[in-house]
Amino acid sequence: MPAMIIYQETAPIPALRPWLDCVWTCRVHARGQPMAHQVLPDNCIDILCQDQQDASFAVGMMTAPIQVVSCGLVQTVAARFKPGAAARFFQLPLCELNDGRTDLQQLWGRDLAARLGDALWTQPLPDAQRMLILQDFLLLRLRKIPLAPASGLALHAVALIEHAQGALRVDQLAAQLHVSRQHLAAQFRQQVGISPKLFARISRFRAVNNALKTLPAQADWAQVALQYGYFDQSHLIRDFQDFARASPQAWLARRR
């Protein structure tokens, strides 16, 4: 059998829609040679539960792309938090999760993580039922952790950056929220994971990346940079090198 990936995502249940972007499943068949695929920074945090050794873990905010290598048959059921929403489910500064994976046992305790693993993998279940099980456990966690008073500032800042597709300076953002840049940055690192400036850079990169399918094969990158609020073309090129490890033109060709 040739190596393949079967990926499916669906909307979360209504009670979790303020917090989750989606729930998703993935089946990787990589018999023989390992399969690798690149994952780009997306300003989101995910919880992944895999059937291999009952692995359940959170993947923190990414500041650079990563190569995910899979071997054999791997089944995953996962939840992707909306930008800035994961703090509602973890009792630690989210900057501690950046660019890594942290076992759910460490984040939620051995008992809850073990119960989740047993519920997901003890018996054969359809993917739709596994996604519901994971969401049931997220609801349990949601009810146990009170909403932090400071989280409103970070969530408001995230909403403003997302609305502007990253084309918003941090000093302008702080002024709109009537706080200092230092206070905003501290709250952002704790409640979101990375700095507001880096969050805005990734938001802007994502906006350009999502628009690539509408661009001609030989795009006018200076015009694209201007359209998406970059200071100049060199800043656009830097973001593609940092977040995709390729030039914009090379990445465009790869996406086609």
Side-chain angles (χ1 to χ4, degrees):
M1 176 188 295
M4 64 177 180
I5 297 177
I6 303 173
Y7 176 87
Q8 181 179 10
E9 64 180 49
T10 189
I13 60 176
L16 290 172
R17 285 176 189 168
W19 315 105
L20 294 186
D21 180 65
C22 67
V23 286
W24 55 273
T25 60
C26 184
R27 294 173 182 262
V28 177
H29 299 262
R31 303 195 184 279
Q33 292 295 322
M35 173 184 287
H37 67 279
Q38 189 177 40
V39 180
L40 307 186
D42 60 3
N43 278 342
C44 294
I45 290 175
D46 288 54
I47 285 180
L48 284 75
C49 304
Q50 296 181 331
D51 63 333
Q52 289 191 343
Q53 300 178 346
D54 293 333
S56 299
F57 52 91
V59 176
M61 295 285 276
M62 296 165 50
T63 64
I66 60 173
Q67 288 286 335
V68 177
V69 179
S70 302
C71 299
L73 174 62
V74 183
Q75 298 183 67
T76 302
V77 57
R80 177 169 303 124
F81 295 102
K82 290 183 177 180
R88 190 69 175 83
F89 297 81
F90 304 112
Q91 289 183 301
L92 80 170
L94 290 190
C95 56
E96 296 182 13
L97 304 180
N98 290 354
D99 291 314
R101 50 183 279 180
T102 305
D103 287 345
L104 216 53
Q105 288 188 12
Q106 181 180 338
L107 296 169
W108 284 4
R110 184 180 299 274
D111 178 65
L112 187 60
R115 285 163 50 200
L116 174 59
D118 289 343
L120 288 172
W121 308 116
T122 298
Q123 57 185 328
L125 296 171
D127 287 344
Q129 189 169 346
R130 288 197 172 107
M131 287 190 283
L132 288 174
I133 289 171
L134 175 56
Q135 291 176 92
D136 284 342
F137 276 79
L138 288 170
L139 282 175
L140 284 175
R141 187 67 177 173
L142 183 66
R143 291 164 184 157
K144 286 184 177 181
I145 299 180
L147 183 64
S151 64
L153 172 65
L155 289 175
H156 193 183
V158 164
L160 290 172
I161 294 172
E162 290 277 288
H163 179 72
Q165 295 187 318
L168 183 63
R169 294 173 57 90
V170 177
D171 53 356
Q172 294 174 323
L173 179 62
Q176 280 187 254
L177 297 172
H178 307 290
V179 296
S180 68
R181 289 187 54 158
Q182 293 78 9
H183 181 70
L184 175 61
Q187 291 300 318
F188 217 87
R189 284 192 293 270
Q190 180 166 335
Q191 299 292 328
V192 180
I194 56 179
S195 71
K197 181 177 180 180
L198 180 55
F199 187 94
R201 285 183 61 203
I202 294 173
S203 292
R204 188 164 47 183
F205 164 76
R206 290 174 63 201
V208 178
N209 190 38
N210 289 338
L212 288 184
K213 60 185 177 183
T214 68
L215 298 180
Q218 295 298 322
D220 182 344
W221 295 109
Q223 182 60 37
V224 172
L226 180 64
Q227 179 181 349
Y228 285 91
Y230 282 92
F231 182 75
D232 56 24
Q233 183 176 343
S234 65
H235 284 75
L236 171 67
I237 292 172
R238 182 191 66 179
D239 277 3
F240 269 81
Q241 292 290 352
D242 286 348
F243 302 137
R245 296 290 187 257
S247 69
Q249 189 62 47
W251 186 252
L252 174 60
R254 192 184 305 178
R255 290 284 302 273
R256 290 181 178 273

